[in-house]
Amino acid sequence: YPGVVERYLNLGECYDKQALWPLRQEIMNCMSGYKGCYQRAYRCLGAAAEIMEDQRSILLTDALAQKLAKRAHGILAREVPRRRTERPGLVKQRFLGAVTHRGPVCLYDTALAQCGKVYELTDSCSLAHDLLIHLLAGITANGYDLVACPDPMAPDRLAHLLVPQLGLAFLTASPLYSFPCKPYRRIRLDAAADSEILRRSRPRLRFAKKVSAALVDEAVSSLAQAKAMHDSLEAIYNPHVDFSLVDSTARAVWDEIQSFQVE
């Protein structure tokens, strides 16, 4: 609803356009290849995600799915007090991790600041979602709000759950993300898989992990190249930006927000 709910802020007015004009070729050179770096990174991450899904499909049998559901129900009985409620718990979605120009990053400290009791899910084959989805259903059914954190490599699957009301978290550790401290309990999800399938598939799983790791490394390299290009571009622009005008614009917007009367 333009003009009512939203409006445009033209921060382009903060540029010294006359000073930037002679630098136009240098600016264009910095942007050359920038888009290609991101495209290559996304292709590599997409391929790595497909390989990880292949690992998961090898191990996730009906028997394993039932075993993980049973394990989840045991955890719920032990950790989530049952209570009568007419309102199911609210679910907020937040990413806790990402693949960045510095490599894969997971902000475990953000979870630890809210939740003192942590279940670490050790998972090298993308099985965590099939445990977490049952935990999510049980926790919300008892009226507790939670934060559901998707897997950045496969956003349709869960990687972590935070339940601040209970001081409880379920955090996945994988070859990409290592949990930094000793958890309350550790669950080795790979160990729950059928031992015969694991034995038979070990060469294929080893190859898949090696290739997916190489693809993630290539994606990180491409993101680092894009970041370097962006830094060069920013170094050209910064001397020719009126930051006092940026600040005064921000203050004016803040004053306007404070003046609103919410009905």
Side-chain angles (χ1 to χ4, degrees):
Y1 306 101
V4 180
V5 175
E6 56 212 1
R7 65 184 178 86
Y8 294 107
L9 291 176
N10 183 12
L11 294 178
E13 294 298 322
C14 304
Y15 293 132
D16 182 345
K17 299 177 186 66
Q18 288 186 334
L20 287 171
W21 179 250
L23 303 173
R24 61 190 182 280
Q25 191 58 54
E26 193 175 349
I27 290 170
M28 291 176 185
N29 290 342
C30 283
M31 291 298 290
S32 177
Y34 183 75
K35 184 178 179 181
C37 287
Y38 275 108
Q39 289 175 334
R40 185 165 63 254
Y42 290 137
R43 282 196 293 266
C44 288
L45 291 175
E50 288 294 329
I51 292 174
M52 291 176 182
E53 176 60 27
D54 183 60
Q55 296 177 67
R56 178 172 176 267
S57 66
I58 293 171
L59 299 181
L60 190 60
T61 60
D62 290 342
L64 177 56
Q66 291 173 15
K67 187 185 293 187
L68 294 176
K70 184 177 179 180
R71 187 68 182 268
H73 294 148
I75 294 170
L76 290 168
R78 185 168 58 247
E79 303 292 354
V80 181
R82 301 191 71 172
R83 59 182 187 179
R84 292 184 178 180
T85 177
E86 295 181 358
R87 179 189 73 86
L90 300 176
V91 178
K92 293 181 180 178
Q93 281 205 345
R94 300 288 186 272
F95 280 100
L96 195 65
V99 178
T100 76
H101 68 282
R102 293 178 295 169
V105 173
C106 189
L107 304 180
Y108 288 117
D109 287 349
T110 298
L112 295 172
Q114 303 174 68
C115 306
K117 183 181 285 188
V118 172
Y119 277 74
E120 178 193 336
L121 310 180
T122 305
D123 180 21
S124 64
C125 293
S126 305
L127 297 172
H129 171 84
D130 300 279
L131 176 73
L132 293 172
I133 197 67
H134 294 288
L135 293 172
L136 183 149
I139 292 165
T140 55
N142 279 290
Y144 297 102
D145 300 339
L146 56 75
V147 181
C149 304
D151 184 340
M153 294 290 291
D156 59 327
R157 295 204 301 268
L158 292 171
H160 319 281
L161 291 180
L162 313 182
V163 195
Q165 287 174 291
L166 297 175
L168 180 65
F170 301 90
L171 304 177
T172 299
S174 69
L176 289 181
Y177 309 100
S178 299
F179 189 64
C181 55
K182 186 177 180 180
Y184 166 69
R185 289 196 175 179
R186 179 179 288 116
I187 299 175
R188 291 185 59 238
L189 294 178
D190 299 357
D194 184 281
S195 58
E196 178 57 25
I197 294 176
L198 272 173
R199 187 192 63 78
R200 239 182 13 246
S201 306
R202 190 164 288 119
R204 182 175 166 185
L205 291 171
R206 190 182 298 119
F207 174 78
K209 289 172 185 176
K210 184 177 180 180
V211 172
S212 62
L215 286 165
V216 171
D217 286 345
E218 181 60 28
V220 169
S221 176
S222 296
L223 292 172
Q225 290 177 46
K227 175 66 164 61
M229 292 176 186
H230 178 84
D231 290 347
S232 298
L233 192 67
E234 204 169 67
I236 297 171
Y237 270 100
N238 270 5
H240 308 297
V241 176
D242 183 349
F243 286 103
S244 64
L245 181 55
V246 175
D247 292 340
S248 64
T249 302
R251 285 194 297 271
V253 172
W254 177 240
D255 289 342
E256 183 182 340
I257 291 170
Q258 287 187 306
S259 71
F260 289 155
Q261 297 295 320
V262 180
E263 297 181 1

